[in-house]
Amino acid sequence: MASRTAMAWLITALLLASVLAVPLASGQQSDASSEWTLSDLQKQGEVTDTRYPSLRVAGEMEAFWLVRYPPRGTGTYGDQNSKKYIKPTTTVQRNKVRLYASFPFDSQNRTFSLTKVYWHPDSRQVQTDNGTVVTKRYANVTAVGTQNVTFQSGMRRHSEVLLRGHYDDAERVTMLLSLPDGNTLRWTFKHKSIPTAKAAPDISSRGDLNEYILLWVVLPTLLLSFISYKKVPKFRREALAGTGRGAGTWIAMGFVVAIGAYLLGYYALASLTAHFPVVFSLFIAYVVAVMQLEDDEDAVETWGFIRIDPETATSPLDDKSEVLDSGDIEIEGYDVVFDENNEPVLYSRGLLSMWARYKGCYARLNIDNKEAEWNCVGDYDKVIVVDQDAPALVEHLPSRVIFAWPWRTYQPPRNDDGELLEDDLDPGSSASYRSR
């Protein structure tokens, strides 16, 4: 019985301790906040030269200046061409800044204590002595940290100053460097971490890093590349041929888009990459897709259609005659692909034309006036001789895509019997060219 009573008292004591933990913690926070006043934290260090707003002079032979390196551009961290002097209006995106210093060449190392106060201005209701309630602004201190910085003697020595991460809202930071003579140097700036400065979650060892890379980089890259490798060729086959632009064109376009996103939307791109790590995998899958989209150049043939005037043409019975140069000849060339029935279909370059063919909107070639044909090597894969009296060398229907919701492709108008209404055909794009 006594043991049960003792256990009950122990549990009661633990519960009371847990209940009092929150008020105790809040009391410690309020004491820390009261140590730093708003006016004190808003004080700026003495600026000796407006060209270098973060330069602080400490005696005749010593000086300190605080700089940041923006997380963008072609320069790496620490590059002199990309450094920026910190001002009170500066917002630092990295989780570190660099403190430079210059000292006499006396071969002595110097260590200083640096205090970092993280705070933001806030307001609260305060009751005065006469009972009225007024609103007062104060410095809401969220954290205080200290760090020792060590410098060697000489000019332009530096030490890295680490900052806490702030990914939701910008926080103000006041840094105070304590000097041996009792004076204090000050810097004040804003800090809001860029998403890529945040460490990947649950990574505390080499094994965790390998697991993260496997799950978020390797496996998505393999999966998305496999999907591109399988689906894009099927799409190309159903569209009869690719766009004709070449894989290099699509890769160059992707490169231009990537550069534009880097220069104009770097922070949004960084946020996307940090929260959605498979962006790299998507890029690899895009390259695989465009390579599969444009890898079938033999699918397109060039046909030449010839109409010869028999009254001026030299007789082909003469062995020395040059038929194509002997009379009034008209030759017209078309790029041709073949549908599932091996029937010729007019081919035109571009993604929209490819989409139209994929949706079954073919510009078919109706060669009803053919007199002769033969395969060639050169400008034309096949040459076809057509009747001189034919109204047109090739009668075909145009193909194009109409971007409307829902997406649809152009369909030639037909009557109730399914016959084409040729007078109402959409002009579209013929994609024909004339050769001489």
Side-chain angles (χ1 to χ4, degrees):
M1 185 65 178
S3 61
R4 292 184 178 180
T5 303
M7 183 63 68
W9 279 108
L10 179 60
I11 295 175
T12 303
L14 293 175
L15 290 174
L16 288 174
S18 63
V19 171
L20 295 175
V22 175
L24 182 61
S26 62
Q28 292 175 346
Q29 179 64 38
S30 63
D31 293 340
S33 299
S34 62
E35 182 181 353
W36 307 95
T37 63
L38 179 62
S39 58
D40 185 32
L41 293 176
Q42 286 179 332
K43 289 181 180 178
Q44 309 298 327
E46 181 180 355
V47 179
T48 57
D49 192 334
T50 56
R51 295 174 300 174
Y52 314 104
S54 63
L55 177 64
R56 304 291 184 264
V57 177
E60 296 182 357
M61 301 294 294
E62 297 183 4
F64 300 82
W65 60 98
L66 193 66
V67 301
R68 67 182 179 95
Y69 293 93
R72 63 180 303 176
T74 56
T76 59
Y77 184 85
D79 187 358
Q80 292 299 310
N81 295 327
S82 61
K83 71 179 181 180
K84 304 290 183 181
Y85 290 92
I86 289 180
K87 301 183 292 185
T89 57
T90 297
T91 298
V92 176
Q93 287 90 22
R94 293 184 184 270
N95 285 346
K96 62 180 178 180
V97 291
R98 178 170 288 186
L99 181 62
Y100 281 93
S102 291
F103 304 98
F105 291 92
D106 52 10
S107 301
Q108 295 183 5
N109 293 338
R110 294 170 173 81
T111 300
F112 303 88
S113 177
L114 184 67
T115 302
K116 297 167 285 188
V117 183
Y118 302 90
W119 61 281
H120 60 268
D122 206 344
S123 59
R124 58 187 171 188
Q125 303 292 328
V126 178
Q127 187 174 3
T128 61
D129 296 337
N130 58 7
T132 59
V133 178
V134 296
T135 301
K136 288 189 175 182
R137 291 178 59 81
Y138 73 103
N140 188 348
V141 178
T142 57
V144 179
T146 58
Q147 177 182 342
N148 290 331
V149 289
T150 302
F151 302 92
Q152 296 178 344
S153 63
M155 306 293 290
R156 291 186 52 79
R157 304 303 182 182
H158 69 267
S159 182
E160 305 296 341
V161 179
L162 303 181
L163 303 174
R164 293 167 57 93
H166 301 94
Y167 299 95
D168 296 328
D169 299 314
E171 195 82 344
R172 295 181 183 272
V173 182
T174 298
M175 295 176 48
L176 302 99
L177 185 70
S178 299
L179 301 178
D181 59 4
N183 292 326
T184 301
L185 302 181
R186 292 172 169 267
W187 294 271
T188 300
F189 55 90
K190 297 178 182 179
H191 181 234
K192 188 177 188 304
S193 306
I194 192 169
T196 49
K198 187 176 183 179
D202 302 326
I203 293 182
S204 58
S205 65
R206 181 75 177 183
D208 294 338
L209 177 61
N210 293 336
E211 181 181 358
Y212 182 84
I213 293 175
L214 176 65
L215 294 178
W216 288 100
V217 178
V218 177
L219 290 181
T221 299
L222 294 176
L223 178 60
L224 294 175
S225 299
F226 178 78
I227 293 175
S228 297
Y229 184 78
K230 289 296 184 180
K231 296 297 183 181
V232 175
K234 180 180 179 182
F235 168 67
R236 189 196 66 243
R237 287 191 298 268
E238 294 183 2
L240 309 183
T243 64
R245 302 299 184 186
T249 300
W250 295 106
I251 294 177
M253 290 174 59
F255 180 77
V256 171
V257 171
I259 293 297
Y262 178 78
L263 296 177
L264 303 178
Y266 177 82
Y267 299 108
L269 182 64
S271 178
L272 176 64
T273 305
H275 293 91
F276 195 60
V278 297
V279 169
F280 174 78
S281 303
L282 291 174
F283 174 75
I284 298 299
Y286 171 79
V287 175
V288 173
V290 298
M291 294 297 292
Q292 294 296 315
L293 190 67
E294 301 289 353
D295 68 345
D296 196 359
E297 298 180 355
D298 295 337
V300 181
E301 294 185 2
T302 302
W303 286 9
F305 294 85
I306 300 175
R307 181 164 51 191
I308 302 177
D309 186 352
E311 295 181 357
T312 58
T314 304
S315 172
L317 298 178
D318 186 355
D319 295 336
K320 298 182 181 181
S321 64
E322 296 290 341
V323 176
L324 297 182
D325 296 331
S326 60
D328 186 10
I329 300 173
E330 181 182 358
I331 180 169
E332 191 169 353
Y334 292 91
D335 287 334
V336 175
V337 291
F338 300 91
D339 63 9
E340 63 276 4
N341 298 321
N342 203 31
E343 295 293 334
V345 173
L346 185 68
Y347 172 81
S348 56
R349 299 175 61 185
L351 186 60
L352 296 183
S353 296
M354 183 179 182
W355 178 262
R357 294 192 304 272
Y358 172 75
K359 299 298 291 185
C361 183
Y362 301 146
R364 299 186 181 277
L365 301 179
N366 302 320
I367 313 172
D368 297 330
N369 49 3
K370 180 171 63 176
E371 295 290 339
E373 68 176 44
W374 63 89
N375 295 327
C376 301
V377 176
D379 294 337
Y380 299 99
D381 299 292
K382 178 179 288 190
V383 173
I384 300 175
V385 179
V386 295
D387 186 5
Q388 164 68 19
D389 298 328
L393 290 180
V394 179
E395 298 176 357
H396 62 272
L397 302 177
S399 64
R400 69 184 181 92
V401 127
I402 299 175
F403 279 96
W405 185 258
W407 282 7
R408 58 190 175 90
T409 53
Y410 170 74
Q411 297 293 339
R414 300 175 182 270
N415 58 19
D416 297 337
D417 299 329
E419 298 176 351
L420 289 175
L421 302 177
E422 297 184 4
D423 294 338
D424 299 330
L425 291 181
D426 190 306
S429 59
S430 63
S432 61
Y433 59 92
R434 188 173 297 276
S435 303
R436 292 184 180 178

